[in-house]
Amino acid sequence: MAFQGTERYVASPALMLAVNAAVTLQRPLLVKGEPGTGKTLLAEELARSLDTALIAWHVKSTTKAQQGLYEYDAVSRLRDSQLGVEGVDDVRNYLRPGKLWEAFQAERRVVLLIDEIDKADLEFPNDLLLELDRMEFHVYETGETVRARHRPVVIITSNNEKELPDAFLRRCFFHYIDFPDREGLQRIVDVHFPGLQDQLVDEALTLFFQLREVPGLKKKPTTSELLDWLALLLADQVPISALRENEAGRPLPPLAGALVKNEQDLDLLRRLVFMQRRQGRKA
């Protein structure tokens, strides 16, 4: 296997190298980067390029590692035993396979995405060390061991909300997705909006990078937000002239709500516009 991106996913040479290295080493690929830089989409497109299934485990703050293996529904079993339901004697009827079990039992190699692992508690990554290392786990209720038929390609994403344990990091191949430069973003835009007018893209990218460079911005707009913004500009048929007006003393970019996602940043930008206009009048 040699991952080279897809027609819908522009991967940098460093990212392609990281994916292929992780597969060669049979290690999970831990991917970090700003939200919206395509970490989750990487797993989706990798599965697509391999023509295989994607099994996605989206981690929440309440998620426990055991849920990825299986869950035993003791409450339902107790209720069924009181009601005399048939099959209550077979504990397997009350085991709910998790995403790892599903990936391990797949008929062919799949891509397993553990998305936003840093949302869970600090023990969550360590609780998966053995299972991801050996590609097996024990089911205590039945005494059986579930082993991977085919070792899945494991992609783990993190937004750096929490530090991950060293023991876990040692078992992963790591890659940080840098924010694309202008040329890289141009390629991404071309993939999602083929044939888009060059002048519109040029003006939009200029505004986008100017916004990202505003000092004190709490949340910089990301790639996914740029694509949303361009889609809105096209849907509303915003003229290029409306983007060109956004120079010194300008109003906020049209449809700025696609790029600016909190009131603190919106207030900061408005104050900067006010100061620019006042300085312009004094001049």
Side-chain angles (χ1 to χ4, degrees):
M1 176 200 137
F3 179 66
Q4 297 180 328
T6 68
E7 66 271 17
R8 298 191 301 184
Y9 189 86
V10 178
S12 68
L15 178 56
M16 289 187 278
L17 181 64
V19 171
N20 295 322
V23 172
T24 300
L25 294 172
Q26 296 188 332
R27 297 280 191 181
L29 174 62
L30 173 61
V31 185
K32 292 186 179 183
E34 289 184 40
T37 49
K39 300 186 294 297
T40 302
L41 187 59
L42 168 64
E44 296 172 3
E45 290 302 306
L46 177 58
R48 186 167 172 267
S49 72
L50 294 174
D51 190 26
T52 192
L54 170 70
I55 297 177
W57 184 13
H58 299 289
V59 176
K60 301 178 181 179
S61 60
T62 55
T63 302
K64 302 299 180 183
Q66 180 64 32
Q67 294 171 308
L69 308 180
Y70 68 93
E71 292 182 276
Y72 170 49
D73 192 351
V75 174
S76 292
R77 192 182 189 192
L78 175 61
R79 183 195 61 223
D80 289 350
S81 68
Q82 294 169 339
L83 296 174
V85 175
E86 187 177 350
V88 73
D89 292 335
D90 190 351
V91 69
R92 289 177 176 82
N93 293 328
Y94 300 92
L95 297 179
R96 297 177 180 174
K99 296 299 183 180
L100 266 72
W101 191 330
E102 186 180 342
F104 287 1
Q105 293 298 289
E107 294 294 333
R108 54 180 299 196
R109 179 175 64 170
V110 299
V111 174
L112 172 63
L113 168 66
I114 304 177
D115 198 26
E116 298 188 333
I117 194 171
D118 52 323
K119 280 188 174 180
D121 63 45
L122 293 174
E123 292 305 313
F124 180 91
N126 281 337
D127 289 343
L128 291 176
L129 287 180
L130 185 62
E131 290 76 12
L132 291 177
D133 231 4
R134 297 186 180 179
M135 286 290 150
E136 65 179 37
F137 61 88
H138 187 69
V139 182
Y140 295 97
E141 289 77 8
T142 64
E144 65 181 309
T145 298
V146 176
R147 294 184 176 90
R149 295 180 181 178
H150 306 279
R151 191 179 190 96
V153 180
V154 182
I155 305 294
I156 302 172
T157 72
S158 169
N159 287 327
N160 257 345
E161 292 183 10
K162 294 189 187 82
E163 287 295 326
L164 298 175
D166 288 344
F168 180 79
L169 294 175
R170 282 198 301 272
R171 288 165 170 80
C172 298
F173 190 92
F174 171 75
H175 180 74
Y176 186 90
I177 298 181
D178 291 312
F179 193 83
D181 58 15
R182 190 179 181 111
E183 181 181 350
L185 271 186
Q186 177 75 61
R187 291 172 56 206
I188 292 171
V189 170
D190 290 343
V191 166
H192 289 270
F193 300 98
L196 190 60
Q197 189 178 354
D198 290 343
Q199 211 168 10
L200 174 63
V201 175
D202 186 62
E203 296 287 347
L205 287 180
T206 297
L207 273 176
F208 177 78
F209 277 106
Q210 286 176 349
L211 189 58
R212 278 185 58 88
E213 292 166 4
V214 171
L217 208 61
K218 185 176 180 180
K219 184 191 179 305
K220 296 180 179 181
T222 63
T223 307
S224 63
E225 288 155 348
L226 169 65
L227 297 176
D228 287 346
W229 184 49
L230 284 172
L232 288 174
L233 292 178
L234 291 174
D236 284 12
Q237 298 182 340
V238 175
I240 296 176
S241 58
L243 301 180
R244 289 176 181 155
E245 291 168 2
N246 291 282
E247 294 176 355
R250 67 192 179 196
L252 293 174
L255 300 166
L259 299 173
V260 184
K261 297 301 178 76
N262 61 66
E263 62 276 15
Q264 295 97 324
D265 288 345
L266 195 59
D267 184 57
L268 171 64
L269 292 170
R270 284 171 175 161
R271 283 188 280 113
L272 288 174
V273 169
F274 174 77
M275 291 172 60
Q276 289 172 345
R277 285 177 173 168
R278 187 169 63 177
Q279 289 172 356
R281 285 196 296 269
K282 288 181 179 179

